[in-house]
Amino acid sequence: MLPIIAQVALDLPVPRLFDYLAPTLTSADVGRRVCVPFGRKTLIGIVLSVGHNTEHPIDRLKAISHTLDDGAILSAEIRKLLRFCSDYYHYPLGATMLSALPTALRKDQPYTIKTTSAWQLTALGRTAELPARAHRQRALHALLADGQLHPTSTLAATSGYRNLLKQWLDAGWVSVHLTTAPLNNQTTHADTPPALNAEQAAALAQISAAAGQFIAFLLHGVTGSGKTEVYLHAVAHALAQGGQALILLPEINLTPQLTGVFRARFPTTEIATLNSGMNDGDRLQHWLAASTGRARIVLGTRLAVFTPMPQLALIIIDEEHDSSFYQQDSLRYAARDVAIIRAQQRNIPIVLGSATPALETWRNAQTGRYQRLSLTQRAVSAATLPRIQLIDLRTQKCDAGISPALSTAIQQRLDLAQQSLVFINRRGYAPTLICRACGWNAGCPRCSARLVVHLRDKQLRCHHCGYAQRVPHACPDCGNVDISPTGLGTQRLEEKLQQQFPTARVLRIDRDSTRRKDSWTTMQQQIRAGEVDILIGTQLLAKGHDFPNLTLVGVIDADSALYSPDFRASERLFSQLMQVSGRAGRAQHAGEVLIQTEFITHPLYRTLQQHDYIGYAKTLLNERRSASFPPFIHQAVLRAEAEHVQDALAFLSEAKALAPINEHINLFDPTPAALTRKANVERALLLVQSPNRRALQGFLQEWISSVYKMKASTLRWHLDVDPWEI
Ligand code: ADP
Ligand code: ZN
Ligand code: ZN
């Protein structure tokens, strides 16, 4: 008899699969978890094929230890998607496969789907007669008549109802039985959807008509135009047809508030949420609920793009331009691009929503690869787009970063009991600490970055590697005691604003003040309840939050991005300012935005004033075209990290010498990374680009397979395809 051999994917940094003897397996076990011996360890792997062939001598093969679960954990569809990712991003197939599993499934343990007991009306209970005035009893009865009641329901947890349930159990009106534990607390509150306006309805009609076909839509809608409402309707449509919907959100947008919006609209639907902040147990339960088809809606961050969903019928990516869709380690992928491939492979529609689409996306809409849907008006009829004014910093003298014009505008809002947001794109008290006597400045001993002063805890922190030390009392070089922070950070601004407006309630929102798990949620409630007058915020605040009483946005210190060496910096700045401007005047009050700048004639600010994303996109695309930058060319970066940058550079030079270049490929020279030292390693990079994606892919495949064969024992390297930053 021929031996049965399984090819197993393992989470190892080598681009190959591993063969094991697997006498009990059949082709039905492809996609299943197995436990295998590897060296002196045992590893969890995924079976990718079962057959009779191997390139190794049979007597050298080991046998798998055991199988796990009843069958495949990764469906054929997800395996195909992961295979694509492994090929496209040139990342080992085994590691790619395993990265799609929640942590709990990467252990040698069977999973169990959590169960709970629930109450249900018996036949007797269903016919029970209740007195007309027994409101509590009638409410409970109505709820039970609708379906089962879980102990997590707020009603079931209320003491009065607990007693009633106990009585009814004794009377034989209700019975207790075991059921899968719901992912969400039961809610009794349901929202009725507003009627869509004409543009929303037109967008929805196109998306709904695309059911069962691959069409990529770009839903381009100004902030406040009601994109969320279009998503909700499109999801409802997909669910009504028996489908599941996957909604990908930027990390910061996956707040209880948005989950709440979906829960209220789909109160009887199980909604799985998936993000890296969940504990392993919860994440497993949500993942399983999605992959068994029980959860009809999945709301998640980028990692959710790989969730198996047997009835997947619609994918939505909100704020598709957001950088959090880029995974920056292990498998380096862009969730937006992977989602497009997934929709294509499955033949379903996908909607990319944004007020400021990524230029790549915009270009795809222009060339007709994506179909554009536009929402040009704010959805709430009284809400108009805010007026954007530029404050010329060459003529206005600032006090701690705040111009007289901005100060006056804030005072006006205080008088009207409206809220202001002062937006600054940095955190910490001040970016750096310098000595005016000798020019010393506080640098990170582990990175080439400067340390940032955090006054509250008297620390200097490195925002790149996390290094921290106490703020010194005197200059370590010359002993000068007059060392002072320069620049402006959120904490300094907070102090200043509090001095200027002593009775105002000032709230600072940045990564430091929101570090605690629920603090951001609490802050949002405070803002909505009107307990805050002046908000100070970083990019955290720019995105998708809706504060009806916020009517003024002041932007401080935006100019630095204009002259950044990063060719995407102005795209990011535009989109960030557009987003943050969108925070003003979303309800009945008109909004105003004041931008402080030294460059009032810069086209970025000019087009921003006109809310003219399309105009700015055109300018930027022209620049990109003439400079041969993405999206007009395709890039990949080979990065190396070593203790000394020379070693990283030497490795890259050696790799370059192996490169099978041809006339379509432009391979540059190795160079130290902009931030050379980071967390005690030094980094260098080698950029390759081509106007032709296919040519680039062909080149990479050949090249990277020879790079894998290079000796690099003390050095780490990886490839970044379509990098977000270079
Ligand atoms: P976006 O995501 O495009 O920035 P939102 O979806 O947050 O905009 O919608 C902005 C506001 O308009 C929300 O308060 C929303 O409830 C409201 N809204 C959306 N669509 C409608 C509609 N058709 N009728 C009335 N209000 C709407
Ligand atoms: Zn000094
Ligand atoms: Zn550092």
Side-chain angles (χ1 to χ4, degrees):
M1 231 179 55
L2 287 171
I4 297 176
I5 291 153
Q7 269 196 317
V8 179
L10 296 175
D11 186 7
L12 294 170
V14 285
R16 52 168 288 215
L17 301 173
F18 294 85
D19 290 350
Y20 285 90
L21 294 170
T24 61
L25 294 195
T26 69
S27 57
D29 293 301
V30 174
R32 189 167 179 177
R33 292 196 296 154
V34 289
C35 191
V36 298
F38 190 89
R40 274 185 289 167
K41 288 191 283 197
T42 56
L43 296 176
I44 289 296
I46 304 268
V47 177
L48 291 191
S49 76
V50 178
H52 301 299
N53 300 326
T54 177
E55 292 167 6
H56 307 279
I58 293 279
D59 52 356
R60 300 276 300 279
L61 291 188
K62 292 183 189 164
I64 62 166
S65 314
H66 54 268
T67 56
L68 283 140
D69 318 325
D70 297 334
I73 196 92
L74 289 180
S75 62
E77 185 189 337
I78 294 297
R79 295 196 308 270
K80 186 173 169 196
L81 182 67
L82 291 166
R83 241 177 229 282
F84 169 87
C85 289
S86 166
D87 290 344
Y88 185 81
Y89 295 110
H90 304 275
Y91 194 69
L93 182 58
T96 306
M97 290 280 165
L98 272 294
S99 73
L101 291 182
T103 316
L105 292 177
R106 283 181 243 168
K107 294 183 183 137
D108 183 11
Q109 262 165 17
Y111 65 79
T112 43
I113 293 177
K114 238 181 159 167
T115 53
T116 178
S117 49
W119 294 277
Q120 212 172 22
L121 280 182
T122 59
L124 184 64
R126 217 158 291 151
T127 57
E129 301 262 329
L130 298 170
R133 309 244 308 277
H135 296 300
R136 178 176 291 185
Q137 295 193 33
R138 296 186 81 89
L140 182 61
H141 196 268
L143 209 67
L144 284 162
D146 258 2
Q148 55 195 10
L149 186 67
H150 295 117
T152 57
S153 150
T154 38
L155 198 59
T158 325
S159 65
Y161 288 97
R162 278 211 166 265
N163 290 337
L164 256 184
L165 281 165
K166 213 175 281 159
Q167 285 168 26
W168 287 7
L169 195 62
D170 292 343
W173 287 12
V174 296
S175 61
V176 172
H177 67 116
L178 214 59
T179 168
T180 51
L183 300 174
N184 323 111
N185 292 343
Q186 270 182 325
T187 162
T188 45
H189 163 76
D191 271 356
T192 30
L196 297 182
N197 62 36
E199 287 183 328
Q200 287 173 318
L204 176 68
Q206 298 233 39
I207 299 166
S208 304
Q213 315 164 48
F214 167 64
I215 300 182
F217 294 98
L218 167 60
L219 180 62
H220 178 224
V222 298
T223 50
S225 58
K227 293 185 287 295
T228 314
E229 205 48 61
V230 175
Y231 304 152
L232 289 163
H233 278 81
V235 168
H237 187 265
L239 298 198
Q241 316 238 305
Q244 288 174 289
L246 170 64
I247 299 120
L248 298 179
L249 303 157
E251 247 149 47
I252 196 69
N253 281 34
L254 193 70
T255 56
Q257 191 196 331
L258 194 103
T259 320
V261 169
F262 274 84
R263 296 272 315 283
R265 195 59 70 79
F266 303 100
T268 57
T269 304
E270 290 243 56
I271 300 179
T273 46
L274 288 168
N275 62 75
S276 56
M278 297 166 74
N279 69 42
D280 291 352
D282 285 347
R283 180 132 154 235
L284 173 67
Q285 292 304 320
H286 284 244
W287 192 90
L288 290 169
S291 69
T292 55
R294 201 178 96 222
R296 312 302 293 173
I297 299 176
V298 174
L299 289 177
T301 54
R302 60 171 182 262
L303 56 89
V305 73
F306 296 114
T307 316
M309 295 174 68
Q311 282 99 37
L312 182 64
L314 174 68
I315 303 178
I316 288 168
I317 306 187
D318 189 27
E319 310 286 357
E320 64 86 30
H321 63 276
D322 194 89
S323 61
S324 73
F325 290 122
Y326 285 79
Q327 162 94 11
Q328 309 273 18
D329 56 48
S330 56
L331 173 65
R332 290 170 166 77
Y333 63 93
R336 174 192 61 220
D337 301 341
V338 174
I340 295 273
I341 298 295
R342 184 166 184 184
Q344 196 169 20
Q345 289 183 344
R346 200 179 157 86
N347 243 336
I348 55 167
I350 176 168
V351 181
L352 313 181
S354 177
T356 53
L359 284 182
E360 281 82 355
T361 305
W362 188 248
R363 168 110 182 112
N364 281 326
Q366 284 186 330
T367 60
R369 272 192 69 204
Y370 298 171
Q371 196 172 319
R372 193 167 109 201
L373 309 168
S374 304
L375 305 180
T376 58
Q377 308 289 322
R378 288 199 149 182
V380 176
S381 52
T384 50
L385 287 169
R387 205 159 72 96
I388 299 180
Q389 278 185 282
L390 302 177
I391 298 172
D392 190 347
L393 285 185
R394 291 166 311 178
T395 57
Q396 292 234 354
K397 228 178 112 50
C398 287
D399 179 15
I402 301 169
S403 62
L406 179 54
S407 179
T408 310
I410 294 175
Q411 185 59 55
Q412 282 167 356
R413 294 315 183 290
L414 290 173
D415 296 341
L416 292 166
Q418 294 174 359
Q419 292 167 321
S420 307
L421 161 63
V422 180
F423 179 75
I424 180 170
N425 202 0
R426 269 198 224 133
R427 67 200 169 103
Y429 183 88
T432 55
L433 191 64
I434 66 163
C435 168
R436 294 206 158 74
C438 76
W440 169 87
N441 64 57
C444 174
R446 300 196 298 186
C447 301
S448 47
R450 288 193 179 151
L451 294 175
V452 174
V453 182
H454 288 241
L455 205 68
R456 190 144 300 179
D457 45 8
K458 296 197 173 56
Q459 292 227 303
L460 292 171
R461 288 222 184 97
C462 174
H463 285 189
H464 291 284
C465 76
Y467 169 87
Q469 70 173 65
R470 285 188 66 80
V471 173
H473 295 295
C475 170
D477 277 7
C478 74
N480 169 22
V481 290
D482 182 26
I483 48 173
S484 59
T486 62
L488 196 68
T490 46
Q491 294 183 25
R492 175 117 172 268
L493 199 59
E494 181 183 15
E495 265 176 31
K496 215 59 218 179
L497 285 167
Q498 197 65 80
Q499 273 169 23
Q500 257 190 49
F501 307 103
T503 57
R505 294 158 301 174
V506 179
L507 180 67
R508 176 172 56 86
I509 297 172
D510 57 17
R511 233 170 270 282
D512 296 328
S513 69
T514 54
R515 187 152 288 148
R516 262 198 34 242
K517 198 159 171 267
D518 297 324
S519 49
W520 175 220
T521 314
T522 318
M523 287 182 181
Q524 280 179 294
Q525 282 159 359
Q526 280 180 296
I527 302 167
R528 295 171 160 279
E531 293 162 14
V532 177
D533 301 310
I534 304 174
L535 291 160
I536 300 168
T538 56
Q539 56 267 46
L540 270 182
L541 254 185
K543 295 173 193 169
H545 307 291
D546 203 353
F547 303 123
N549 203 30
L550 182 76
T551 59
L552 173 70
V553 173
V555 178
I556 290 194
D557 203 18
D559 289 341
S560 58
L562 294 179
Y563 300 97
S564 161
D566 177 354
F567 71 87
R568 282 199 178 86
S570 43
E571 175 184 353
R572 272 185 222 134
L573 177 64
F574 185 88
S575 117
Q576 211 162 57
L577 292 183
M578 195 93 153
Q579 297 282 330
V580 77
S581 303
R583 298 309 111 213
R586 285 170 72 91
Q588 66 271 35
H589 308 299
E592 188 179 20
V593 178
L594 301 181
I595 299 175
Q596 303 187 159
T597 172
E598 289 180 37
F599 306 96
I600 54 164
T601 57
H602 194 283
L604 188 148
Y605 296 127
R606 287 264 160 252
T607 41
L608 190 73
Q609 265 187 310
Q610 288 143 19
H611 303 276
D612 185 11
Y613 165 82
I614 297 178
Y616 197 56
K618 196 170 164 190
T619 310
L620 282 181
L621 279 175
N622 284 337
E623 279 174 27
R624 298 270 183 95
R625 191 196 310 266
S626 53
S628 285
F629 278 138
F632 298 97
I633 50 120
H634 305 281
Q635 297 180 320
V637 182
L638 183 64
R639 301 183 201 273
E641 298 177 348
E643 203 181 328
H644 303 291
V645 72
Q646 289 83 349
D647 297 335
L649 288 167
F651 173 84
L652 294 177
S653 297
E654 220 178 300
K656 183 175 174 177
L658 298 175
I661 41 175
N662 58 52
E663 73 274 18
H664 304 293
I665 300 296
N666 195 353
L667 184 59
F668 294 89
D669 285 325
T671 164
L675 184 77
T676 304
R677 249 177 109 71
K678 183 169 172 179
N680 275 336
V681 292
E682 298 192 345
R683 304 162 326 141
L685 59 91
L686 175 55
L687 176 66
V688 53
Q689 56 187 42
S690 170
N692 181 323
R693 198 191 288 277
R694 192 159 299 171
L696 180 62
Q697 279 295 326
F699 163 79
L700 289 176
Q701 200 194 335
E702 219 183 309
W703 186 36
I704 297 305
S705 63
S706 36
V707 174
Y708 268 114
K709 292 181 191 124
M710 287 173 58
K711 274 212 179 64
S713 51
T714 61
L715 184 141
R716 288 163 45 132
W717 65 270
H718 64 262
L719 184 74
D720 207 346
V721 179
D722 305 329
W724 171 243
E725 262 171 326
I726 293 171

